[in-house]
Amino acid sequence: MAIPENKEALQKAILTHYKKLKVTLSEIKEEDAWRFELPGHAKGTLMSIHNLIAYLTGWGQLVLKWNRKKDKNEEFEWPETGYKWNELGKLAQKFYKDYASCDYWALKEKLDETVQNILQLIESKSNEELYEVLWYGKWTLGRMIQFNTSSPYQNARTRIRKWQKEKKLI
């Protein structure tokens, strides 16, 4: 699928990749979701499928936070308070900790809710607001959303499918 260049394409990309990811996640047994067998987001680390869902949820929540703050003209740190862009592995670890107490099913529901809120955000914006105005540095809002939703959903599904094949679960 091509990189979305307008509102409709962004919505379609998110829905397409998330739908496929949800199907893949539905195949995972809860006890398997806690195995630390996937390559982690920081070099040389392993993560669980639960961690991966926490990561996706954390980034989705950041997208929503960035938008709320920008809409209110409030100051905030990119990408997150206390983290720099070259510390994304540490930020991933924060997301894992943020959702560590969530059971697998509750975390999947939190991700569903986050995706729905992002889709509502997109729906509330015009194509101009999403793709014709720079929003952060050289990036538009639509591109920042895509970087943190549809692309990671596709990547997460690929990681899980590879793991499933290695473990002969599919």
Side-chain angles (χ1 to χ4, degrees), residues 96-115:
Y96 304 163
K97 288 177 189 165
D98 287 348
Y99 297 100
S101 64
C102 265
D103 72 47
Y104 182 60
W105 309 111
L107 185 54
K108 286 191 335 180
E109 286 178 19
K110 180 68 175 169
L111 180 58
D112 281 342
E113 177 186 308
T114 300
V115 171

Side-chain angles (χ1 to χ4, degrees), residues 10 14 59 63-64 66-67 118-119 121-122 125 130-131 135 140-153:
L10 178 61
I14 292 170
W59 276 106
V63 166
L64 295 167
W66 296 337
N67 189 74
I118 289 169
L119 290 168
L121 166 64
I122 295 166
K125 301 289 184 180
L130 289 165
Y131 282 97
W135 194 76
T140 63
L141 173 57
R143 196 74 161 109
M144 289 296 287
I145 292 171
Q146 182 262 323
F147 285 147
N148 295 289
T149 57
S150 65
S151 292
Y153 301 158

Side-chain angles (χ1 to χ4, degrees), residues 21 25 28 31-57 59 88-89 91-97 104 107 152-164 166-167:
L21 176 61
L25 290 174
I28 306 298
E31 60 269 17
D32 291 337
W34 294 92
R35 293 175 164 185
F36 286 82
E37 299 178 339
L38 300 174
H41 291 102
K43 187 176 180 176
T45 65
L46 292 176
M47 70 176 167
S48 66
I49 291 170
H50 187 277
N51 290 150
L52 184 55
I53 299 168
Y55 176 84
L56 297 173
T57 304
W59 276 106
L88 297 183
L91 184 54
Q93 297 292 321
K94 175 196 179 305
F95 295 147
Y96 304 163
K97 288 177 189 165
Y104 182 60
L107 185 54
Y153 301 158
Q154 184 177 23
N155 179 278
R157 182 174 181 265
T158 300
R159 285 174 182 244
I160 295 168
R161 299 290 290 171
K162 181 179 178 191
W163 171 81
Q164 286 175 311
E166 290 170 357
K167 297 295 176 184

Side-chain angles (χ1 to χ4, degrees), residues 62-103:
L62 272 184
V63 166
L64 295 167
K65 175 183 171 180
W66 296 337
N67 189 74
R68 280 191 309 272
K69 296 279 190 180
K70 281 198 69 115
D71 279 355
K72 294 177 181 177
N73 292 317
E74 294 177 1
E75 294 289 322
F76 59 98
E77 290 181 45
W78 295 91
E80 174 62 305
T81 304
Y83 296 88
K84 300 199 180 325
W85 286 110
N86 64 351
E87 298 176 316
L88 297 183
K90 288 181 184 178
L91 184 54
Q93 297 292 321
K94 175 196 179 305
F95 295 147
Y96 304 163
K97 288 177 189 165
D98 287 348
Y99 297 100
S101 64
C102 265
D103 72 47

